[in-house]
Amino acid sequence: MDLVSIRIITSDVARLVAFYERATGVPATWATEDFAELNTGGGTLAIAGTRTVPLFASGSARPADNHSVIIEFLVDDVDRVHGNLTGFVSHFVNEPTTMPWGNRSLLFRDPDGNLVNFLTPVTPAAIQKFAR
């Protein structure tokens, strides 16, 4: 089994896609006006509009209602990325911080309030874990 994507349901697909394209530098591939994907090579972030929810089950997902998932992206230099996002991201949860497990992390919220973590491994164990 392989995890292939994380999907965010939003009431404004264009806004959220534009945010993630700018934040990640990854261009989206649009399937319809209600569905786009950003493929990072290591995984795909899918962004879908509320009109897609009934295709699975009515009421099964609500936009801007995530309180438990953090979307994480591996970046080369989290401190540099933080500088690039300052003035663009409106809500940083923390500044770049080195975590006990060896990653330097930058936590912020996307326009729908979803938590996003950009991380760079900095300890030998973390660097080895994420070696490509």
Side-chain angles (χ1 to χ4, degrees):
M1 180 183 302
D2 289 325
L3 177 65
V4 294
S5 73
I6 299 293
R7 183 178 312 194
I8 301 173
I9 299 297
T10 183
S11 58
D12 191 338
V13 178
R15 178 193 63 169
L16 207 56
V17 167
F19 174 86
Y20 279 100
E21 284 181 321
R22 166 68 170 79
T24 65
V26 175
T29 301
W30 288 82
T32 72
E33 66 181 329
D34 289 318
F35 187 82
E37 294 177 313
L38 287 85
N39 187 325
T40 68
T44 298
L45 178 63
I47 300 173
T50 54
R51 292 186 294 199
T52 67
V53 174
L55 299 172
F56 295 99
S58 259
S60 61
R62 293 184 305 269
D65 196 31
N66 172 24
H67 298 282
S68 61
V69 174
I70 301 173
I71 303 161
E72 298 187 308
F73 294 90
L74 183 65
V75 299
D76 290 334
D77 182 346
V78 76
D79 293 284
R80 181 181 48 74
V81 171
H82 175 247
N84 292 342
L85 294 177
T86 300
F88 171 68
V89 170
S90 60
H91 185 194
F92 287 103
V93 176
N94 71 357
E95 301 295 314
T97 304
T98 302
M99 298 298 175
W101 44 88
N103 295 329
R104 191 148 172 81
S105 295
L106 171 64
L107 195 65
F108 58 95
R109 293 197 182 272
D110 74 14
D112 279 4
N114 298 300
L115 284 169
V116 180
N117 182 29
F118 280 4
L119 64 98
T120 301
V122 294
T123 65
I127 291 167
Q128 182 178 8
K129 176 182 174 183
F130 288 103
R132 296 180 183 181

PDB file of all heavy atoms in Angstrom, residues 53-93:
ATOM      1  N   VAL A  53     -17.695  16.837  -2.694  1.00  0.00           N
ATOM      2  CA  VAL A  53     -17.990  16.017  -1.511  1.00  0.00           C
ATOM      3  C   VAL A  53     -19.124  15.024  -1.748  1.00  0.00           C
ATOM      4  O   VAL A  53     -18.995  13.842  -1.409  1.00  0.00           O
ATOM      5  CB  VAL A  53     -18.253  16.895  -0.269  1.00  0.00           C
ATOM      6  CG1 VAL A  53     -18.707  16.058   0.915  1.00  0.00           C
ATOM      7  CG2 VAL A  53     -17.002  17.693   0.084  1.00  0.00           C
ATOM      8  N   PRO A  54     -20.259  15.426  -2.344  1.00  0.00           N
ATOM      9  CA  PRO A  54     -21.345  14.461  -2.556  1.00  0.00           C
ATOM     10  C   PRO A  54     -20.974  13.279  -3.459  1.00  0.00           C
ATOM     11  O   PRO A  54     -21.647  12.251  -3.431  1.00  0.00           O
ATOM     12  CB  PRO A  54     -22.460  15.294  -3.199  1.00  0.00           C
ATOM     13  CG  PRO A  54     -22.179  16.695  -2.773  1.00  0.00           C
ATOM     14  CD  PRO A  54     -20.678  16.781  -2.692  1.00  0.00           C
ATOM     15  N   LEU A  55     -19.892  13.404  -4.236  1.00  0.00           N
ATOM     16  CA  LEU A  55     -19.456  12.277  -5.051  1.00  0.00           C
ATOM     17  C   LEU A  55     -19.014  11.107  -4.175  1.00  0.00           C
ATOM     18  O   LEU A  55     -19.068   9.956  -4.592  1.00  0.00           O
ATOM     19  CB  LEU A  55     -18.309  12.697  -5.978  1.00  0.00           C
ATOM     20  CG  LEU A  55     -18.638  13.800  -6.985  1.00  0.00           C
ATOM     21  CD1 LEU A  55     -17.378  14.262  -7.701  1.00  0.00           C
ATOM     22  CD2 LEU A  55     -19.681  13.317  -7.978  1.00  0.00           C
ATOM     23  N   PHE A  56     -18.558  11.409  -2.965  1.00  0.00           N
ATOM     24  CA  PHE A  56     -18.154  10.374  -2.004  1.00  0.00           C
ATOM     25  C   PHE A  56     -19.307  10.062  -1.063  1.00  0.00           C
ATOM     26  O   PHE A  56     -19.756   8.939  -0.984  1.00  0.00           O
ATOM     27  CB  PHE A  56     -16.922  10.833  -1.213  1.00  0.00           C
ATOM     28  CG  PHE A  56     -15.712  10.999  -2.085  1.00  0.00           C
ATOM     29  CD1 PHE A  56     -15.335  12.244  -2.538  1.00  0.00           C
ATOM     30  CD2 PHE A  56     -14.966   9.898  -2.466  1.00  0.00           C
ATOM     31  CE1 PHE A  56     -14.226  12.398  -3.361  1.00  0.00           C
ATOM     32  CE2 PHE A  56     -13.858  10.045  -3.289  1.00  0.00           C
ATOM     33  CZ  PHE A  56     -13.489  11.298  -3.742  1.00  0.00           C
ATOM     34  N   ALA A  57     -19.764  11.063  -0.335  1.00  0.00           N
ATOM     35  CA  ALA A  57     -20.902  10.930   0.571  1.00  0.00           C
ATOM     36  C   ALA A  57     -21.252  12.324   1.077  1.00  0.00           C
ATOM     37  O   ALA A  57     -20.399  13.015   1.640  1.00  0.00           O
ATOM     38  CB  ALA A  57     -20.583  10.010   1.746  1.00  0.00           C
ATOM     39  N   SER A  58     -22.474  12.731   0.873  1.00  0.00           N
ATOM     40  CA  SER A  58     -22.900  14.062   1.296  1.00  0.00           C
ATOM     41  C   SER A  58     -22.556  14.306   2.758  1.00  0.00           C
ATOM     42  O   SER A  58     -22.779  13.448   3.613  1.00  0.00           O
ATOM     43  CB  SER A  58     -24.410  14.225   1.115  1.00  0.00           C
ATOM     44  OG  SER A  58     -24.662  14.943  -0.040  1.00  0.00           O
ATOM     45  N   GLY A  59     -21.982  15.479   3.029  1.00  0.00           N
ATOM     46  CA  GLY A  59     -21.672  15.861   4.391  1.00  0.00           C
ATOM     47  C   GLY A  59     -20.467  15.168   5.004  1.00  0.00           C
ATOM     48  O   GLY A  59     -20.170  15.355   6.183  1.00  0.00           O
ATOM     49  N   SER A  60     -19.740  14.373   4.222  1.00  0.00           N
ATOM     50  CA  SER A  60     -18.618  13.611   4.778  1.00  0.00           C
ATOM     51  C   SER A  60     -17.383  14.472   5.052  1.00  0.00           C
ATOM     52  O   SER A  60     -16.515  14.069   5.828  1.00  0.00           O
ATOM     53  CB  SER A  60     -18.254  12.450   3.860  1.00  0.00           C
ATOM     54  OG  SER A  60     -17.850  12.925   2.595  1.00  0.00           O
ATOM     55  N   ALA A  61     -17.277  15.632   4.435  1.00  0.00           N
ATOM     56  CA  ALA A  61     -16.149  16.537   4.658  1.00  0.00           C
ATOM     57  C   ALA A  61     -16.665  17.971   4.656  1.00  0.00           C
ATOM     58  O   ALA A  61     -17.610  18.294   3.929  1.00  0.00           O
ATOM     59  CB  ALA A  61     -15.092  16.355   3.575  1.00  0.00           C
ATOM     60  N   ARG A  62     -16.038  18.807   5.498  1.00  0.00           N
ATOM     61  CA  ARG A  62     -16.411  20.214   5.593  1.00  0.00           C
ATOM     62  C   ARG A  62     -15.160  21.074   5.382  1.00  0.00           C
ATOM     63  O   ARG A  62     -14.113  20.766   5.952  1.00  0.00           O
ATOM     64  CB  ARG A  62     -17.001  20.524   6.961  1.00  0.00           C
ATOM     65  CG  ARG A  62     -18.334  19.858   7.221  1.00  0.00           C
ATOM     66  CD  ARG A  62     -18.922  20.288   8.571  1.00  0.00           C
ATOM     67  NE  ARG A  62     -18.035  20.057   9.696  1.00  0.00           N
ATOM     68  CZ  ARG A  62     -18.006  18.946  10.423  1.00  0.00           C
ATOM     69  NH1 ARG A  62     -18.815  17.951  10.128  1.00  0.00           N
ATOM     70  NH2 ARG A  62     -17.181  18.828  11.437  1.00  0.00           N
ATOM     71  N   PRO A  63     -15.263  22.138   4.615  1.00  0.00           N
ATOM     72  CA  PRO A  63     -14.098  22.996   4.402  1.00  0.00           C
ATOM     73  C   PRO A  63     -13.733  23.767   5.670  1.00  0.00           C
ATOM     74  O   PRO A  63     -14.588  24.029   6.524  1.00  0.00           O
ATOM     75  CB  PRO A  63     -14.559  23.947   3.298  1.00  0.00           C
ATOM     76  CG  PRO A  63     -16.042  23.999   3.437  1.00  0.00           C
ATOM     77  CD  PRO A  63     -16.450  22.633   3.915  1.00  0.00           C
ATOM     78  N   ALA A  64     -12.454  24.104   5.779  1.00  0.00           N
ATOM     79  CA  ALA A  64     -11.939  24.952   6.863  1.00  0.00           C
ATOM     80  C   ALA A  64     -12.325  24.424   8.236  1.00  0.00           C
ATOM     81  O   ALA A  64     -12.684  25.177   9.129  1.00  0.00           O
ATOM     82  CB  ALA A  64     -12.411  26.392   6.673  1.00  0.00           C
ATOM     83  N   ASP A  65     -12.257  23.093   8.420  1.00  0.00           N
ATOM     84  CA  ASP A  65     -12.685  22.487   9.680  1.00  0.00           C
ATOM     85  C   ASP A  65     -11.681  21.450  10.190  1.00  0.00           C
ATOM     86  O   ASP A  65     -12.046  20.544  10.902  1.00  0.00           O
ATOM     87  CB  ASP A  65     -14.068  21.845   9.488  1.00  0.00           C
ATOM     88  CG  ASP A  65     -14.761  21.538  10.798  1.00  0.00           C
ATOM     89  OD1 ASP A  65     -14.541  22.274  11.771  1.00  0.00           O
ATOM     90  OD2 ASP A  65     -15.498  20.548  10.844  1.00  0.00           O
ATOM     91  N   ASN A  66     -10.411  21.601   9.817  1.00  0.00           N
ATOM     92  CA  ASN A  66      -9.386  20.648  10.230  1.00  0.00           C
ATOM     93  C   ASN A  66      -8.801  21.065  11.575  1.00  0.00           C
ATOM     94  O   ASN A  66      -8.302  22.174  11.724  1.00  0.00           O
ATOM     95  CB  ASN A  66      -8.272  20.596   9.180  1.00  0.00           C
ATOM     96  CG  ASN A  66      -7.089  19.771   9.637  1.00  0.00           C
ATOM     97  OD1 ASN A  66      -7.214  18.900  10.475  1.00  0.00           O
ATOM     98  ND2 ASN A  66      -5.936  20.076   9.082  1.00  0.00           N
ATOM     99  N   HIS A  67      -8.838  20.164  12.535  1.00  0.00           N
ATOM    100  CA  HIS A  67      -8.272  20.450  13.851  1.00  0.00           C
ATOM    101  C   HIS A  67      -7.311  19.359  14.305  1.00  0.00           C
ATOM    102  O   HIS A  67      -6.985  19.296  15.490  1.00  0.00           O
ATOM    103  CB  HIS A  67      -9.388  20.605  14.881  1.00  0.00           C
ATOM    104  CG  HIS A  67     -10.301  21.741  14.581  1.00  0.00           C
ATOM    105  ND1 HIS A  67      -9.975  23.050  14.838  1.00  0.00           N
ATOM    106  CD2 HIS A  67     -11.524  21.770  14.010  1.00  0.00           C
ATOM    107  CE1 HIS A  67     -10.964  23.835  14.451  1.00  0.00           C
ATOM    108  NE2 HIS A  67     -11.910  23.081  13.944  1.00  0.00           N
ATOM    109  N   SER A  68      -6.884  18.498  13.380  1.00  0.00           N
ATOM    110  CA  SER A  68      -6.034  17.393  13.823  1.00  0.00           C
ATOM    111  C   SER A  68      -4.908  17.021  12.864  1.00  0.00           C
ATOM    112  O   SER A  68      -3.997  16.307  13.264  1.00  0.00           O
ATOM    113  CB  SER A  68      -6.883  16.143  14.086  1.00  0.00           C
ATOM    114  OG  SER A  68      -7.531  15.740  12.901  1.00  0.00           O
ATOM    115  N   VAL A  69      -4.917  17.480  11.647  1.00  0.00           N
ATOM    116  CA  VAL A  69      -3.920  17.062  10.661  1.00  0.00           C
ATOM    117  C   VAL A  69      -2.970  18.215  10.369  1.00  0.00           C
ATOM    118  O   VAL A  69      -3.390  19.365  10.248  1.00  0.00           O
ATOM    119  CB  VAL A  69      -4.614  16.605   9.352  1.00  0.00           C
ATOM    120  CG1 VAL A  69      -3.597  16.307   8.264  1.00  0.00           C
ATOM    121  CG2 VAL A  69      -5.491  15.394   9.615  1.00  0.00           C
ATOM    122  N   ILE A  70      -1.675  17.882  10.274  1.00  0.00           N
ATOM    123  CA  ILE A  70      -0.665  18.851   9.851  1.00  0.00           C
ATOM    124  C   ILE A  70      -0.101  18.361   8.518  1.00  0.00           C
ATOM    125  O   ILE A  70       0.341  17.222   8.410  1.00  0.00           O
ATOM    126  CB  ILE A  70       0.465  18.980  10.887  1.00  0.00           C
ATOM    127  CG1 ILE A  70      -0.102  19.411  12.248  1.00  0.00           C
ATOM    128  CG2 ILE A  70       1.528  19.968  10.399  1.00  0.00           C
ATOM    129  CD1 ILE A  70       0.928  19.395  13.369  1.00  0.00           C
ATOM    130  N   ILE A  71      -0.116  19.206   7.510  1.00  0.00           N
ATOM    131  CA  ILE A  71       0.416  18.870   6.189  1.00  0.00           C
ATOM    132  C   ILE A  71       1.893  19.258   6.206  1.00  0.00           C
ATOM    133  O   ILE A  71       2.229  20.417   6.468  1.00  0.00           O
ATOM    134  CB  ILE A  71      -0.347  19.624   5.089  1.00  0.00           C
ATOM    135  CG1 ILE A  71      -1.839  19.307   5.185  1.00  0.00           C
ATOM    136  CG2 ILE A  71       0.220  19.288   3.709  1.00  0.00           C
ATOM    137  CD1 ILE A  71      -2.716  20.310   4.482  1.00  0.00           C
ATOM    138  N   GLU A  72       2.773  18.285   5.929  1.00  0.00           N
ATOM    139  CA  GLU A  72       4.200  18.530   6.075  1.00  0.00           C
ATOM    140  C   GLU A  72       4.940  18.429   4.747  1.00  0.00           C
ATOM    141  O   GLU A  72       4.694  17.513   3.955  1.00  0.00           O
ATOM    142  CB  GLU A  72       4.798  17.546   7.085  1.00  0.00           C
ATOM    143  CG  GLU A  72       4.187  17.719   8.475  1.00  0.00           C
ATOM    144  CD  GLU A  72       4.863  16.899   9.530  1.00  0.00           C
ATOM    145  OE1 GLU A  72       5.014  15.669   9.326  1.00  0.00           O
ATOM    146  OE2 GLU A  72       5.249  17.481  10.556  1.00  0.00           O
ATOM    147  N   PHE A  73       5.846  19.375   4.563  1.00  0.00           N
ATOM    148  CA  PHE A  73       6.678  19.425   3.363  1.00  0.00           C
ATOM    149  C   PHE A  73       8.138  19.487   3.784  1.00  0.00           C
ATOM    150  O   PHE A  73       8.511  20.304   4.632  1.00  0.00           O
ATOM    151  CB  PHE A  73       6.370  20.671   2.527  1.00  0.00           C
ATOM    152  CG  PHE A  73       4.998  20.695   1.925  1.00  0.00           C
ATOM    153  CD1 PHE A  73       3.926  21.250   2.618  1.00  0.00           C
ATOM    154  CD2 PHE A  73       4.770  20.183   0.656  1.00  0.00           C
ATOM    155  CE1 PHE A  73       2.662  21.294   2.060  1.00  0.00           C
ATOM    156  CE2 PHE A  73       3.509  20.227   0.088  1.00  0.00           C
ATOM    157  CZ  PHE A  73       2.456  20.781   0.796  1.00  0.00           C
ATOM    158  N   LEU A  74       8.964  18.667   3.164  1.00  0.00           N
ATOM    159  CA  LEU A  74      10.407  18.690   3.363  1.00  0.00           C
ATOM    160  C   LEU A  74      10.980  19.791   2.483  1.00  0.00           C
ATOM    161  O   LEU A  74      10.715  19.824   1.277  1.00  0.00           O
ATOM    162  CB  LEU A  74      10.987  17.323   2.979  1.00  0.00           C
ATOM    163  CG  LEU A  74      12.467  17.093   3.179  1.00  0.00           C
ATOM    164  CD1 LEU A  74      12.822  17.132   4.658  1.00  0.00           C
ATOM    165  CD2 LEU A  74      12.853  15.739   2.584  1.00  0.00           C
ATOM    166  N   VAL A  75      11.755  20.701   3.076  1.00  0.00           N
ATOM    167  CA  VAL A  75      12.379  21.795   2.319  1.00  0.00           C
ATOM    168  C   VAL A  75      13.879  21.800   2.599  1.00  0.00           C
ATOM    169  O   VAL A  75      14.330  21.288   3.619  1.00  0.00           O
ATOM    170  CB  VAL A  75      11.750  23.167   2.674  1.00  0.00           C
ATOM    171  CG1 VAL A  75      10.268  23.194   2.326  1.00  0.00           C
ATOM    172  CG2 VAL A  75      11.962  23.529   4.141  1.00  0.00           C
ATOM    173  N   ASP A  76      14.654  22.390   1.690  1.00  0.00           N
ATOM    174  CA  ASP A  76      16.112  22.401   1.831  1.00  0.00           C
ATOM    175  C   ASP A  76      16.593  23.272   2.993  1.00  0.00           C
ATOM    176  O   ASP A  76      17.559  22.929   3.659  1.00  0.00           O
ATOM    177  CB  ASP A  76      16.776  22.871   0.534  1.00  0.00           C
ATOM    178  CG  ASP A  76      16.650  21.858  -0.579  1.00  0.00           C
ATOM    179  OD1 ASP A  76      16.513  20.653  -0.284  1.00  0.00           O
ATOM    180  OD2 ASP A  76      16.672  22.270  -1.753  1.00  0.00           O
ATOM    181  N   ASP A  77      15.945  24.419   3.197  1.00  0.00           N
ATOM    182  CA  ASP A  77      16.398  25.365   4.227  1.00  0.00           C
ATOM    183  C   ASP A  77      15.191  26.097   4.788  1.00  0.00           C
ATOM    184  O   ASP A  77      14.721  27.083   4.217  1.00  0.00           O
ATOM    185  CB  ASP A  77      17.401  26.346   3.616  1.00  0.00           C
ATOM    186  CG  ASP A  77      17.956  27.339   4.607  1.00  0.00           C
ATOM    187  OD1 ASP A  77      17.409  27.492   5.725  1.00  0.00           O
ATOM    188  OD2 ASP A  77      18.956  28.000   4.259  1.00  0.00           O
ATOM    189  N   VAL A  78      14.683  25.611   5.909  1.00  0.00           N
ATOM    190  CA  VAL A  78      13.456  26.159   6.479  1.00  0.00           C
ATOM    191  C   VAL A  78      13.608  27.631   6.870  1.00  0.00           C
ATOM    192  O   VAL A  78      12.658  28.404   6.751  1.00  0.00           O
ATOM    193  CB  VAL A  78      12.964  25.284   7.659  1.00  0.00           C
ATOM    194  CG1 VAL A  78      13.783  25.500   8.909  1.00  0.00           C
ATOM    195  CG2 VAL A  78      11.495  25.517   7.937  1.00  0.00           C
ATOM    196  N   ASP A  79      14.797  28.038   7.296  1.00  0.00           N
ATOM    197  CA  ASP A  79      14.988  29.449   7.664  1.00  0.00           C
ATOM    198  C   ASP A  79      14.887  30.361   6.440  1.00  0.00           C
ATOM    199  O   ASP A  79      14.275  31.430   6.501  1.00  0.00           O
ATOM    200  CB  ASP A  79      16.326  29.630   8.385  1.00  0.00           C
ATOM    201  CG  ASP A  79      16.319  28.943   9.741  1.00  0.00           C
ATOM    202  OD1 ASP A  79      15.699  29.492  10.677  1.00  0.00           O
ATOM    203  OD2 ASP A  79      16.904  27.854   9.861  1.00  0.00           O
ATOM    204  N   ARG A  80      15.459  29.927   5.322  1.00  0.00           N
ATOM    205  CA  ARG A  80      15.355  30.707   4.078  1.00  0.00           C
ATOM    206  C   ARG A  80      13.907  30.762   3.610  1.00  0.00           C
ATOM    207  O   ARG A  80      13.407  31.819   3.224  1.00  0.00           O
ATOM    208  CB  ARG A  80      16.252  30.111   2.990  1.00  0.00           C
ATOM    209  CG  ARG A  80      16.215  30.903   1.670  1.00  0.00           C
ATOM    210  CD  ARG A  80      17.097  30.282   0.590  1.00  0.00           C
ATOM    211  NE  ARG A  80      16.925  28.852   0.407  1.00  0.00           N
ATOM    212  CZ  ARG A  80      15.875  28.271  -0.198  1.00  0.00           C
ATOM    213  NH1 ARG A  80      14.906  29.008  -0.681  1.00  0.00           N
ATOM    214  NH2 ARG A  80      15.826  26.962  -0.327  1.00  0.00           N
ATOM    215  N   VAL A  81      13.229  29.621   3.671  1.00  0.00           N
ATOM    216  CA  VAL A  81      11.820  29.568   3.252  1.00  0.00           C
ATOM    217  C   VAL A  81      10.978  30.483   4.135  1.00  0.00           C
ATOM    218  O   VAL A  81      10.087  31.182   3.645  1.00  0.00           O
ATOM    219  CB  VAL A  81      11.293  28.120   3.277  1.00  0.00           C
ATOM    220  CG1 VAL A  81       9.797  28.077   3.061  1.00  0.00           C
ATOM    221  CG2 VAL A  81      12.008  27.283   2.218  1.00  0.00           C
ATOM    222  N   HIS A  82      11.260  30.510   5.427  1.00  0.00           N
ATOM    223  CA  HIS A  82      10.531  31.407   6.326  1.00  0.00           C
ATOM    224  C   HIS A  82      10.668  32.850   5.857  1.00  0.00           C
ATOM    225  O   HIS A  82       9.685  33.586   5.795  1.00  0.00           O
ATOM    226  CB  HIS A  82      11.049  31.249   7.763  1.00  0.00           C
ATOM    227  CG  HIS A  82      10.436  32.202   8.724  1.00  0.00           C
ATOM    228  ND1 HIS A  82      11.146  33.199   9.328  1.00  0.00           N
ATOM    229  CD2 HIS A  82       9.156  32.307   9.183  1.00  0.00           C
ATOM    230  CE1 HIS A  82      10.350  33.886  10.119  1.00  0.00           C
ATOM    231  NE2 HIS A  82       9.139  33.367  10.044  1.00  0.00           N
ATOM    232  N   GLY A  83      11.885  33.243   5.506  1.00  0.00           N
ATOM    233  CA  GLY A  83      12.095  34.594   4.993  1.00  0.00           C
ATOM    234  C   GLY A  83      11.300  34.860   3.724  1.00  0.00           C
ATOM    235  O   GLY A  83      10.738  35.944   3.554  1.00  0.00           O
ATOM    236  N   ASN A  84      11.224  33.867   2.843  1.00  0.00           N
ATOM    237  CA  ASN A  84      10.465  34.021   1.592  1.00  0.00           C
ATOM    238  C   ASN A  84       8.963  34.115   1.837  1.00  0.00           C
ATOM    239  O   ASN A  84       8.235  34.726   1.052  1.00  0.00           O
ATOM    240  CB  ASN A  84      10.738  32.847   0.650  1.00  0.00           C
ATOM    241  CG  ASN A  84      12.160  32.839   0.132  1.00  0.00           C
ATOM    242  OD1 ASN A  84      12.865  33.833   0.174  1.00  0.00           O
ATOM    243  ND2 ASN A  84      12.598  31.686  -0.341  1.00  0.00           N
ATOM    244  N   LEU A  85       8.479  33.478   2.904  1.00  0.00           N
ATOM    245  CA  LEU A  85       7.037  33.470   3.189  1.00  0.00           C
ATOM    246  C   LEU A  85       6.581  34.649   4.034  1.00  0.00           C
ATOM    247  O   LEU A  85       5.387  34.945   4.087  1.00  0.00           O
ATOM    248  CB  LEU A  85       6.643  32.161   3.891  1.00  0.00           C
ATOM    249  CG  LEU A  85       6.787  30.889   3.069  1.00  0.00           C
ATOM    250  CD1 LEU A  85       6.427  29.671   3.915  1.00  0.00           C
ATOM    251  CD2 LEU A  85       5.934  30.948   1.810  1.00  0.00           C
ATOM    252  N   THR A  86       7.530  35.320   4.692  1.00  0.00           N
ATOM    253  CA  THR A  86       7.171  36.476   5.525  1.00  0.00           C
ATOM    254  C   THR A  86       6.564  37.551   4.627  1.00  0.00           C
ATOM    255  O   THR A  86       7.103  37.884   3.590  1.00  0.00           O
ATOM    256  CB  THR A  86       8.415  37.004   6.264  1.00  0.00           C
ATOM    257  OG1 THR A  86       8.915  35.950   7.097  1.00  0.00           O
ATOM    258  CG2 THR A  86       8.085  38.214   7.113  1.00  0.00           C
ATOM    259  N   GLY A  87       5.405  38.039   5.020  1.00  0.00           N
ATOM    260  CA  GLY A  87       4.672  39.007   4.214  1.00  0.00           C
ATOM    261  C   GLY A  87       3.643  38.350   3.314  1.00  0.00           C
ATOM    262  O   GLY A  87       2.742  39.009   2.804  1.00  0.00           O
ATOM    263  N   PHE A  88       3.781  37.044   3.104  1.00  0.00           N
ATOM    264  CA  PHE A  88       2.809  36.286   2.304  1.00  0.00           C
ATOM    265  C   PHE A  88       1.898  35.471   3.202  1.00  0.00           C
ATOM    266  O   PHE A  88       0.684  35.517   3.077  1.00  0.00           O
ATOM    267  CB  PHE A  88       3.538  35.373   1.309  1.00  0.00           C
ATOM    268  CG  PHE A  88       2.643  34.401   0.608  1.00  0.00           C
ATOM    269  CD1 PHE A  88       1.696  34.837  -0.301  1.00  0.00           C
ATOM    270  CD2 PHE A  88       2.732  33.038   0.866  1.00  0.00           C
ATOM    271  CE1 PHE A  88       0.846  33.936  -0.939  1.00  0.00           C
ATOM    272  CE2 PHE A  88       1.894  32.137   0.230  1.00  0.00           C
ATOM    273  CZ  PHE A  88       0.952  32.593  -0.670  1.00  0.00           C
ATOM    274  N   VAL A  89       2.482  34.705   4.110  1.00  0.00           N
ATOM    275  CA  VAL A  89       1.698  33.916   5.060  1.00  0.00           C
ATOM    276  C   VAL A  89       1.194  34.860   6.137  1.00  0.00           C
ATOM    277  O   VAL A  89       1.980  35.613   6.723  1.00  0.00           O
ATOM    278  CB  VAL A  89       2.553  32.782   5.672  1.00  0.00           C
ATOM    279  CG1 VAL A  89       1.846  32.118   6.830  1.00  0.00           C
ATOM    280  CG2 VAL A  89       2.909  31.763   4.596  1.00  0.00           C
ATOM    281  N   SER A  90      -0.094  34.814   6.412  1.00  0.00           N
ATOM    282  CA  SER A  90      -0.664  35.747   7.390  1.00  0.00           C
ATOM    283  C   SER A  90      -0.655  35.213   8.814  1.00  0.00           C
ATOM    284  O   SER A  90      -0.795  35.985   9.750  1.00  0.00           O
ATOM    285  CB  SER A  90      -2.085  36.143   6.982  1.00  0.00           C
ATOM    286  OG  SER A  90      -2.914  35.007   6.923  1.00  0.00           O
ATOM    287  N   HIS A  91      -0.488  33.895   9.003  1.00  0.00           N
ATOM    288  CA  HIS A  91      -0.535  33.355  10.361  1.00  0.00           C
ATOM    289  C   HIS A  91       0.549  32.299  10.569  1.00  0.00           C
ATOM    290  O   HIS A  91       0.348  31.131  10.263  1.00  0.00           O
ATOM    291  CB  HIS A  91      -1.910  32.770  10.655  1.00  0.00           C
ATOM    292  CG  HIS A  91      -2.061  32.301  12.066  1.00  0.00           C
ATOM    293  ND1 HIS A  91      -3.090  31.515  12.464  1.00  0.00           N
ATOM    294  CD2 HIS A  91      -1.309  32.490  13.181  1.00  0.00           C
ATOM    295  CE1 HIS A  91      -2.976  31.236  13.752  1.00  0.00           C
ATOM    296  NE2 HIS A  91      -1.886  31.825  14.203  1.00  0.00           N
ATOM    297  N   PHE A  92       1.681  32.745  11.095  1.00  0.00           N
ATOM    298  CA  PHE A  92       2.717  31.804  11.519  1.00  0.00           C
ATOM    299  C   PHE A  92       2.371  31.327  12.917  1.00  0.00           C
ATOM    300  O   PHE A  92       2.101  32.136  13.802  1.00  0.00           O
ATOM    301  CB  PHE A  92       4.105  32.454  11.524  1.00  0.00           C
ATOM    302  CG  PHE A  92       4.679  32.682  10.158  1.00  0.00           C
ATOM    303  CD1 PHE A  92       4.684  33.942   9.599  1.00  0.00           C
ATOM    304  CD2 PHE A  92       5.200  31.625   9.431  1.00  0.00           C
ATOM    305  CE1 PHE A  92       5.204  34.158   8.339  1.00  0.00           C
ATOM    306  CE2 PHE A  92       5.723  31.823   8.163  1.00  0.00           C
ATOM    307  CZ  PHE A  92       5.729  33.097   7.613  1.00  0.00           C
ATOM    308  N   VAL A  93       2.375  30.025  13.127  1.00  0.00           N
ATOM    309  CA  VAL A  93       2.119  29.453  14.447  1.00  0.00           C
ATOM    310  C   VAL A  93       3.402  29.481  15.274  1.00  0.00           C
ATOM    311  O   VAL A  93       3.379  29.706  16.476  1.00  0.00           O
ATOM    312  CB  VAL A  93       1.553  28.022  14.328  1.00  0.00           C
ATOM    313  CG1 VAL A  93       1.375  27.367  15.679  1.00  0.00           C
ATOM    314  CG2 VAL A  93       0.233  28.047  13.557  1.00  0.00           C
TER     315      VAL A  93
END
